[in-house]
Amino acid sequence: MANNFLTTIRSLKLIEGCKAAQIYAFTAAGAGASTSGTGDGGGGSGGKQPPPPPPRSLSVQSGSLCYPHAPSTSGSFVPDSPLPFGLPVAAALEPALDACLRPVDHVEELAASFRRMSSAEGEDEDLCDVFLEQLALFHALGDARLLRRTLRAARVHATDPHRRVVLAAWLRFERREDEFDPTPPPLAPCTTTTPLLECPRAAVFAGESPGVDPVCPCRRPPPPPPTPPTPRFSRSTSSADQMGDEDGDEETNDLWFIIGEEEVACERSCIAALSKPLSTLLYGGFAEAQRDRIDFSRDGITPRGMRAVAAYSRHGRLDDFPPDTILEVLAFSNKFCCDGLKDACDNKLANMVSGVDDALSLIDLGLEEAAHLLVATCLQAFLRELPKSLSNPDVARLLCSPEGRERLDIAGNASFALYYFLSYVAMEEDIRSNTTVMLLERLCECAELPWQKQLALHQLGCVMLERGEFKDAQGWFEDAIAEGHMYSLAGVARAKYKRGHKYSAYKMMNSIMGDYEPAGWMYQERSLYCVGKEKMADLRIATELDPTLSYPYKYRAVALLEEDKLESAVEEISKVLAFKMVTDCLELRAWFYLALEDYESAVRDVRAILTLDPSYMMFHGKMHGEQLIEILRAHVQQWDMADCWMQLYDRWSEVDDIGSLAVVQQMLTREPGNSSLRFRQSLLLLRLNCQKAAMRSLRFARNSSAHEHERLVYEGWILYDTGHREEALAKAEQSIKIQRSFEAFFLQAYALGDANLDTESALSVVQLLEQANSCASDNLRKGQAYNNMGSIYVDCDLLDEAAECYNIALNIKHTRAHQGLARVHYLKNRKKAAYGEMSQLIKVAKNSASAYEKRSEYGEREEAKSDLNMATFLDPTRTYPYRYRAAGKCT
């Protein structure tokens, strides 16, 4: 069987250079690992291996970037190896550097930011900057909710159209997975569920921001036309005559502008009212003041353009004129300083922009004529099409070049916020690209405040390090340190290490650990520059100080692999996956399983990877996950859909979320259009705290629905998960009117239950769940419904009814109902029974950190301590155990 496996592997034509987010290098079995190459600038001599291909996508939200510069000798297959590309090498692993602000004392820095926010109260422009600073600080924490909340606050306090445009586009970019249509037109009118802060009209036009009017301008009737300008001069008529003319409907023509062969009739007083230069021309000491016909043939305006000026001078609006005429009038208004006319042209042209093509055709003229609203609207079209718009050479030239930044700055549309957003998107798309470098250089040019300079310089260092330009990277990191960003010392150390100065890097990390309170990242970074027991000691301390760092687990796991302790290696890397779904850790565990010839487990992890990232490339970017699964087909048991359902039931009952995810992914390869399976996939991803992947699956479920009532339910869940509870309830009701279904009633019950309900209202939710269970569904979903019914009965103090629901759920393998039944026992003063119930859950559940935490409430003091220690060991991100132990030390 192994020979067939290798034959299949060798027969594949693999695509070299595919993009992936791996950070490993692999060496074939029996081949020695190469040493790290050194270099300056472009880095590396001709004899060195080139760096691996760039990552496909890098998460800047989580504050970490992968640097795949590790050495590798795996350029081809090795016939004698039991694995197609050998095994990972511990010496080739590197931790990620955070390409964001990372203060040495995060709490103190956030406190200082809060003080700045308090002192800037009432100054919206200053508040916007403070919230942008907080956004930069929160990136290191990786909390998506905090990031979005801070972005919203910055948008609320943005005072000028430019910042409103940038921040509204950023909010929309972060919410792109939540859209029903993943690629809506950039400036399309808002839907009923579009957040007001993302409205394109509210971002551009004065008086239409959320702070002024809570109603989305896309759903408001058009405003009345503005009042025409009042004539300030009269040549020969009396006041009574002027009043009579104002009351009459006929227009008075007492001035004609000659343009070529045509004459354009105007009213002198109305034209003079447009600006002081025109009033001086028509009523001052010039010869034109005595003429009723004036030659404008050399003033760069056509007869049609002049008629538009005349119409505006009389009626105060520009109706039914094409864009080229409005552009003529805009140039005329600049020439004669007609501020009101210019604003009208600017507004009119801004309203004509509907997409990137319109923006490209108008932005140059807008920049030349300093039409701020037009430029802001064109910029908005580009920003709302990111990252796609950056591939357009005209857009890239404007946004990335120094000349483009200067032109935008003159028009009042260049800012740190703009280039912060653009560089954020570019780094996520391709961190090594020239576009990314140019945008970060523009970011440096716009940086004024200390934190802005720190961020821009540090990010440039990270990008240069990724590109292999180590000397330049070191320079940028040193500049960031000079501005006060001490975390950039890790970047300097890494750059020196890459250039062959390992001891210098070690001394640098030693110095920072002596000057500041030690943190996990300091020990992690220093571990790169030492070996043996000292290295392992640093990694152990790094994990103690910050258990969420994944590099120490990965290094220890691969080190155990090199010692032929494969089971221990799997156990070590599984510690990370118990509390954080990370694709590279799943990939690493899959290789360990391949080495153990546990192909079933390897395929499970690869399927979980593909659920999180369908385009993920295995083996250092050389093989797609689906390809590996196909190769392993002969080594794993093949299931039909009935078998898959049985496997799903088993894994669901074992609280094995990764296993359940893998089974659903396998089922979807057989039935890719099955919307119900996509929906279950989204539920599992939410349980694993993979919000973006979950919303993507939910949107796929909605788009692949064959029936209207199903589509409405999935739309309802998308709305509910994005904070639109009332709209979600409306979708559920619409679905029920078309056809009664389990999911429609369950959605309705879930949305109604998400509120502080009195007993009567709570029991009505129970009735909805009973109606859900009366509809056709499988026991997995019905078990969830019975579990929810039990929770509501407990809240209503109906403990017997709750116990009955939990027991029904347990009888159909909904294992999580043990937790609810334990609560019932506890409320009935049966503490030992509650403890025993949670013990049963712990015996069955694969993911049991929450079960240990919950059981601690029902045990004696020492038992509680033991359970909470185990909960922390399994999931160090859970905060309750730390708070309990801290409170215990205070008593």
Side-chain angles (χ1 to χ4, degrees), residues 17-18 22-25 49-55 67-72 432 466 620-622:
C18 293
Q22 288 80 21
I23 59 172
Y24 314 117
Q49 281 280 354
Y67 298 104
H69 288 302
S72 173
R432 293 183 177 185
E466 176 66 15
H620 209 41
K622 293 188 173 74

Side-chain angles (χ1 to χ4, degrees), residues 105-122 126-127 130-131 133-134 137:
D105 188 339
H106 227 115
V107 174
E108 176 56 36
E109 196 65 33
L110 286 171
S113 177
F114 180 81
R115 288 192 292 270
R116 286 191 287 274
M117 182 176 66
S118 300
S119 62
E121 202 68 45
D126 293 339
L127 279 173
V130 171
F131 283 118
E133 179 187 7
Q134 289 183 2
L137 291 169

Side-chain angles (χ1 to χ4, degrees), residues 504-568:
S504 177
Y506 180 82
K507 287 198 300 181
M508 178 164 285
M509 292 313 300
N510 264 346
S511 68
I512 189 174
M513 292 167 71
D515 295 339
Y516 298 95
E517 185 73 23
W521 64 265
M522 298 178 187
Y523 282 95
Q524 174 180 267
E525 188 65 28
R526 192 177 70 173
S527 72
L528 277 177
Y529 317 127
C530 51
V531 294
K533 292 183 179 179
E534 187 178 359
K535 185 183 190 80
M536 299 306 288
D538 276 357
L539 291 174
R540 176 180 52 78
I541 297 172
T543 299
E544 290 173 0
L545 293 174
D546 187 353
T548 64
L549 295 171
S550 59
Y551 169 75
Y553 299 96
K554 289 188 282 189
Y555 184 90
R556 287 190 292 262
V558 178
L560 289 167
L561 173 72
E562 292 175 344
E563 296 173 6
D564 291 328
K565 298 177 181 178
L566 289 173
E567 290 83 0
S568 298

Side-chain angles (χ1 to χ4, degrees), residues 233-473:
F233 298 93
S234 174
R235 190 173 188 183
S236 60
T237 56
S238 65
S239 299
D241 292 335
Q242 290 183 35
M243 291 177 64
D245 289 341
E246 289 174 6
D247 294 336
D249 294 329
E250 295 183 2
E251 295 179 347
T252 302
N253 299 323
D254 57 0
L255 178 67
W256 288 264
F257 288 97
I258 301 171
I259 302 172
E261 300 296 325
E262 297 187 43
E263 293 185 353
V264 180
C266 302
E267 187 170 351
R268 183 181 293 267
S269 60
C270 292
I271 296 293
L274 292 175
S275 71
K276 188 173 182 179
L278 284 173
S279 70
T280 303
L281 176 72
L282 297 176
Y283 287 100
F286 295 95
E288 285 80 1
Q290 306 303 319
R291 298 174 183 169
D292 54 12
R293 280 173 171 77
I294 300 174
D295 188 0
F296 257 30
S297 299
R298 298 180 182 179
D299 284 273
I301 191 167
T302 64
R304 189 172 188 176
M306 198 63 214
R307 290 190 191 96
V309 173
Y312 177 81
S313 71
R314 298 178 194 270
H315 309 296
R317 60 182 185 271
L318 294 165
D319 294 333
D320 304 324
F321 290 103
D324 57 342
T325 302
I326 304 297
L327 287 167
E328 283 185 44
V329 177
L330 177 63
F332 177 91
S333 67
N334 273 328
K335 187 171 185 177
F336 291 97
C337 305
C338 307
D339 293 338
L341 179 58
K342 179 180 178 178
D343 291 344
C345 293
D346 197 2
N347 199 308
K348 183 80 172 177
L349 288 167
N351 277 292
M352 290 179 177
V353 179
S354 61
V356 173
D357 291 339
D358 291 338
L360 283 171
S361 66
L362 291 172
I363 192 164
D364 285 336
L365 291 166
L367 289 168
E368 288 173 11
E369 302 296 343
H372 305 307
L373 289 184
L374 174 58
V375 174
T377 306
C378 293
L379 189 62
Q380 182 167 234
F382 302 149
L383 297 180
R384 286 173 175 254
E385 281 282 279
L386 290 172
K388 179 182 174 183
S389 58
L390 283 177
S391 61
N392 185 307
D394 294 326
V395 176
R397 191 178 303 111
L398 174 68
L399 297 178
C400 301
S401 67
E403 297 78 16
R405 188 197 70 81
E406 288 177 7
R407 294 181 70 198
L408 288 171
D409 193 24
I410 292 170
N413 277 277
S415 67
F416 182 86
L418 170 64
Y419 288 101
Y420 187 12
F421 176 36
L422 287 169
S423 59
Y424 167 82
V425 174
M427 290 173 73
E428 191 174 73
E429 187 70 9
D430 184 359
I431 193 172
R432 293 183 177 185
S433 70
N434 290 334
T435 298
T436 303
V437 174
M438 289 189 289
L439 287 172
L440 285 171
E441 288 172 347
R442 305 292 81 74
L443 185 69
C444 284
E445 292 167 2
C446 292
E448 297 177 353
L449 301 174
W451 72 267
Q452 295 174 347
K453 295 176 182 178
Q454 292 172 21
L455 177 66
L457 293 166
H458 178 74
Q459 287 187 332
L460 259 173
C462 289
V463 170
M464 292 302 176
L465 191 67
E466 176 66 15
R467 287 162 62 97
E469 300 175 22
F470 305 127
K471 186 175 182 180
D472 288 344

Side-chain angles (χ1 to χ4, degrees), residues 581 586 589-590 593 599-613 625-626 629 636-641 643-652 655-671 677-678 680-685 687-688 697 847:
M581 281 286 284
L586 278 168
R589 191 169 72 173
Y593 282 131
Y599 301 121
E600 295 279 359
S601 297
V603 168
R604 177 202 63 202
D605 283 352
V606 174
R607 290 192 185 281
I609 291 170
L610 292 174
T611 303
L612 295 170
D613 184 354
E626 289 287 1
I629 291 172
V636 297
Q637 185 177 354
Q638 299 303 308
W639 301 328
D640 57 22
M641 287 299 285
D643 295 328
C644 286
W645 276 110
M646 293 301 296
Q647 291 293 327
L648 184 57
Y649 270 92
D650 290 342
R651 283 158 175 72
W652 196 281
V655 197
D656 180 6
D657 293 331
I658 294 178
S660 300
L661 206 60
V663 174
V664 171
Q665 201 274 344
Q666 181 176 358
M667 296 167 80
L668 281 168
T669 58
R670 292 176 178 270
E671 298 182 7
L677 289 174
R678 286 287 183 190
R680 291 172 191 278
Q681 187 180 63
S682 73
L683 295 177
L684 287 164
L685 287 166
R687 193 177 287 171
L688 289 164
S697 294
N847 302 324

